[in-house]
Amino acid sequence: MGILDGKKGIIFGALNEQSLAWKVAEAAHKEGAQFTLTNAPMAMRLGEINGLAEKTGSKVIPADATSMEDLNNLFEESMEELGGKLDFILHSIGMSVNVRKKIPYPEMNYEYQHKGWDVSAVSFHKVMQTAWKKDAMNEWGSILALSYIAAQRVFPDYNDMADNKSYLESIARNFGYYFGKEKKVRVNTISQSPTMTTAGIGVTGFGGFLGYADAISPLGNASADDCANYCVSLFSDYTKMVTLQNLFHDGGFSYTGISKEVMDHFIDDKL
Amino acid sequence: MGILDGKKGIIFGALNEQSLAWKVAEAAHKEGAQFTLTNAPMAMRLGEINGLAEKTGSKVIPADATSMEDLNNLFEESMEELGGKLDFILHSIGMSVNVRKKIPYPEMNYEYQHKGWDVSAVSFHKVMQTAWKKDAMNEWGSILALSYIAAQRVFPDYNDMADNKSYLESIARNFGYYFGKEKKVRVNTISQSPTMTTAGIGVTGFGGFLGYADAISPLGNASADDCANYCVSLFSDYTKMVTLQNLFHDGGFSYTGISKEVMDHFIDDKL
Amino acid sequence: MGILDGKKGIIFGALNEQSLAWKVAEAAHKEGAQFTLTNAPMAMRLGEINGLAEKTGSKVIPADATSMEDLNNLFEESMEELGGKLDFILHSIGMSVNVRKKIPYPEMNYEYQHKGWDVSAVSFHKVMQTAWKKDAMNEWGSILALSYIAAQRVFPDYNDMADNKSYLESIARNFGYYFGKEKKVRVNTISQSPTMTTAGIGVTGFGGFLGYADAISPLGNASADDCANYCVSLFSDYTKMVTLQNLFHDGGFSYTGISKEVMDHFIDDKL
Amino acid sequence: MGILDGKKGIIFGALNEQSLAWKVAEAAHKEGAQFTLTNAPMAMRLGEINGLAEKTGSKVIPADATSMEDLNNLFEESMEELGGKLDFILHSIGMSVNVRKKIPYPEMNYEYQHKGWDVSAVSFHKVMQTAWKKDAMNEWGSILALSYIAAQRVFPDYNDMADNKSYLESIARNFGYYFGKEKKVRVNTISQSPTMTTAGIGVTGFGGFLGYADAISPLGNASADDCANYCVSLFSDYTKMVTLQNLFHDGGFSYTGISKEVMDHFIDDKL
């Protein structure tokens, strides 16, 4: 028996075994949840997700999260498949063409920016608007998106994904207000430690950055498995009154200014 | 089987059935935890805590949380009683003589202030110093204290308890750094909705304030039972990498600037 | 002699006497600054800006702030007119079709959203990219945009402008990093009290909201004139090391949880 | 003519030429302010402050800032000397015996802690209570205290001064509420870059830390002279509606997560 027994949901963004969404699916399954898996049709072609679907007894429903039509279909099929309304949604989607093409932030390409904003942030509003219009969420349901601390502080290589995450977190607050007042549903984002996923690997200097974050954080970087456990707690009934928040899950990184380990690197740099 | 099976702890501050600590004790017991209960000898005399002890199979060990000697004894007896090191601690202690005597903040009595600071904030450091020196915490243990949003924003009737809560949250961060780095133990505070406890009732105009908070919060005020569930999740292994934080548990109060319900009260107050 | 003597700049967004940008232009002129004024060609047709231009000895250069071509021309003409590089820029631009058409946030129209995001937020990046590529800023220059606390907390009627302001503030941080490191230029946003401007008047229930904000804020709502003075201080050399920040200018609203005046409205709403 | 012409104040904490308060006194004098200087009688014996007094035409009035009697006398003498009520106060006082004696945070000595809390934080309340009871502030006056970002994030060597600064900032908010509502006076703290003052030099590893902060901050560390200019702007009428805030003055440190310069130190530490 698990803490998500009887709960139903949709999980966006499981690409391969490194994905946070993949780990969440495994953990939610272990805790008794049923869910559908979805990703962009293009990402589907890689086919790894079928292994996860089999392992967790889930149906895969391709959907472009920027298309209201695809989302409409996804929610209908999911509720049919799961036999009712939903208790949780995980949004783990992010992409920046400016990052991929290593275009420095001050030289931003605005078409690429628009694309990344639409995929990484607006898609979260579209997912919730679809759920809202279909009245697809059960009372005391939980909607989560994955974010990053670049929404609060500058991490230069994170580029326009920082702006997208700020927008994403703002959507969580604003839609969370309505979902709370009218549907008793909570909406939050999790700000996770840097994690060696396919998305992470694309960021310049990611290895050095992982080392820095690990050296600052009193508990070290949070792993993808830890993140999955935390997501499970936020889908469960133990956290029913937590809403409109961006929740740091990072081993203490966000509230540590400096650590002994980091200072040792600067000991000879005296002014 | 519960999510705290096999976990051992100490719970400070259960006074009567309205107390947050009382609810946490009940919830932790239900989830399989074992713990000792403690409160100030003076609060003990009221005797209600014995009912809770019986119900949860817990030993009551009186201790003045400002006395290192009492705390020393409490930790020794607790580890002996529970048969080993601890996995969790709840600090739910707060008191302001300035509040009780309704002394306005600008006219603060500094002896009363000192007393309240010692009981409400420094006691948390003393509890952790005792645990630290005795090496009383198991790895991946969790230490929690209860706080309030007056640590971030002004709620005038909260008086010097606001300053005490700021200090308390700072202790959580700073001791959390050391407990994380050296013992893999996490330390957090929960910033709970205003709750109709014995402590709450003492605050001037508390009824009106409860109504305001409830009208702002998208999910309404979080109850003491919800708070207990949230504490349980933070003692469990689902949240191992959450540390150094002040976690709002308030139905969305902290991130809502205004609600329709509140604005309706001001509709005729146009400037 | 004024504290902006010899400083040159561009001021975006002066529409009429109520505009914050209008007040900033007047105050900057009084302090000895020289600047050009700009607004969207459509807003120009209303013609009021010419009075301000005359009063402050400024040239008006129409520019659509979403057009890199227009911005390019604006910066070239401005530097020619002013005889050199710039010391300050004010971005006071915001517009939401969803607000204007009173489309509730959960029913967001995504074309309108895109338009508002482009005008209200991306335009700030475009302004800075233009300045960056032309190397148009003097060292220790200051770039400011006007924001609102809806970027941090939910004010439901503010709709998608809340998300736009979050994105705007993120741009300030991220571009501010590069402008700081490479050009010694600071970038900040000011989060101003609700103000009875043409933009403010468009928001549903704005009158009631002004009353609420005024009743919470210990100093009352900050006026447009006060805001202009604050902007002047941030363009001056008194604030050279303030950067990457969102600065509240709101009479204390942002750090007040409740005031006596507000609580009096809820005194009979006891739970 | 300066921006503090005709303004009167009290400046606490000028010890020697490195002191922030010393620089503020010089800058305020240059801008036309008149003020008295004060410090603890023990600090006075070193005598350097007399040079500053002479230079700025100020009277020195010794006062122990933890003594209500001394403060009472200080305010009376100051108003007599300056010929009227005050427009500004600077509180630049901080001391931790635990830091001086290099006692690690988890082993805190509670008598030393009490002493440091009283001197570094409670003194700010006492200063304001004295001003409040004597009705010593003019309308639109400005009260400032100096703080540090250790109040928000952990900097381990800052020890219990971190907790004291949290308490200090809380006092600013809470007293600021009353001073705003009833006297139109604003109260803020400035969170300054680490600065090589006598106090700073006492912190273990301060040199290495200065280097780190400078490498993170897009504009580099803010100097004591820059800090003085910023204080002047906050005493002036340009910032009348800024209150209840902790204002970062740090070259962008607080909102920068990592910089290229810092990441270069970790480039070989890949996990």
Side-chain angles (χ1 to χ4, degrees), chain C residues 47-97:
Chain C
E48 293 191 51
I49 200 174
N50 294 326
L52 178 66
E54 203 169 319
K55 191 174 168 186
T56 60
S58 308
K59 185 172 178 181
V60 179
I61 305 170
D64 172 353
T66 67
S67 155
M68 288 302 282
E69 200 186 324
D70 280 19
L71 289 171
N72 201 54
N73 175 61
L74 167 66
F75 273 80
E76 283 189 5
E77 274 199 50
S78 293
M79 288 196 286
E80 199 181 298
E81 172 74 15
L82 300 168
K85 289 193 190 186
L86 307 173
D87 301 291
F88 67 90
I89 295 173
L90 178 75
H91 178 280
S92 176
I93 304 174
M95 186 278 301
S96 159
V97 190

Side-chain angles (χ1 to χ4, degrees), chain D residues 68 71-72 75 125-134:
Chain D
M68 288 302 281
L71 289 172
N72 200 54
F75 274 80
H125 195 288
K126 289 177 176 168
V127 165
M128 287 195 278
Q129 177 160 172
T130 306
W132 179 266
K133 288 193 168 162
K134 293 193 166 316

Side-chain angles (χ1 to χ4, degrees), chain B residues 7-125:
Chain B
K7 295 206 184 288
K8 297 161 183 175
I10 300 179
I11 294 177
F12 288 78
L15 181 68
N16 57 35
E17 283 198 358
Q18 277 70 53
S19 308
L20 294 167
W22 187 287
K23 302 288 190 183
V24 174
E26 290 182 330
H29 173 65
K30 202 177 130 203
E31 295 288 350
Q34 287 174 283
F35 45 83
T36 56
L37 295 166
T38 184
N39 213 330
M42 239 173 57
M44 297 277 107
R45 283 185 302 178
L46 305 167
E48 291 191 55
I49 200 174
N50 294 325
L52 178 66
E54 204 169 316
K55 191 176 169 184
T56 60
S58 308
K59 184 173 180 181
V60 178
I61 306 170
D64 172 353
T66 66
S67 154
M68 289 301 281
E69 199 186 324
D70 279 20
L71 289 171
N72 200 54
N73 176 60
L74 168 66
F75 274 79
E76 282 189 8
E77 273 200 50
S78 293
M79 288 196 285
E80 198 180 300
E81 170 74 15
L82 301 168
K85 289 193 189 186
L86 308 173
D87 301 291
F88 65 91
I89 295 174
L90 178 74
H91 178 282
S92 175
I93 304 174
M95 186 276 302
S96 158
V97 190
N98 284 298
V99 168
R100 277 197 206 155
K101 294 192 184 275
K102 302 193 188 306
I103 298 172
Y105 187 82
E107 296 165 28
M108 183 87 79
N109 173 302
Y110 295 111
E111 276 183 51
Y112 297 162
Q113 177 200 39
H114 179 211
K115 177 76 180 161
W117 170 71
D118 198 28
V119 170
S120 309
V122 177
S123 64
F124 191 39
H125 194 289

Side-chain angles (χ1 to χ4, degrees), chain C residues 31 215 238 241 245 248 251, chain D residues 31 181 238 241 245 248 251:
Chain C
E31 295 288 350
Y238 291 96
M241 298 302 278
Q245 295 192 54
F248 292 104
Chain D
E31 294 288 350
K181 285 277 180 194
Y238 291 96
M241 299 301 279
Q245 295 192 54
F248 292 104

Side-chain angles (χ1 to χ4, degrees), chain A residues 3 31 177 180-181 215 218-222 226 229-230 238 240-241 243-245 248 251-252 255-256 259-261, chain B residues 3 31 177 180-181 215 218-222 226 229-230 238 240-241 243-245 248 251-252 255-256 259-261:
Chain A
I3 67 174
E31 295 288 350
Y177 171 84
K181 286 276 179 194
L219 293 175
N221 290 332
D226 290 323
N229 285 332
Y230 190 46
Y238 291 97
K240 283 165 70 173
M241 298 301 279
T243 195
L244 272 68
Q245 295 193 52
F248 292 103
Y255 291 95
T256 307
S259 65
K260 198 188 160 307
E261 289 77 355
Chain B
I3 67 174
E31 295 288 350
Y177 171 85
K181 285 276 179 196
L219 293 174
N221 290 332
D226 290 323
N229 286 331
Y230 191 45
Y238 291 96
K240 283 165 70 174
M241 299 302 279
T243 195
L244 272 67
Q245 294 193 54
F248 291 104
Y255 290 96
T256 307
S259 66
K260 198 189 160 305
E261 289 77 356

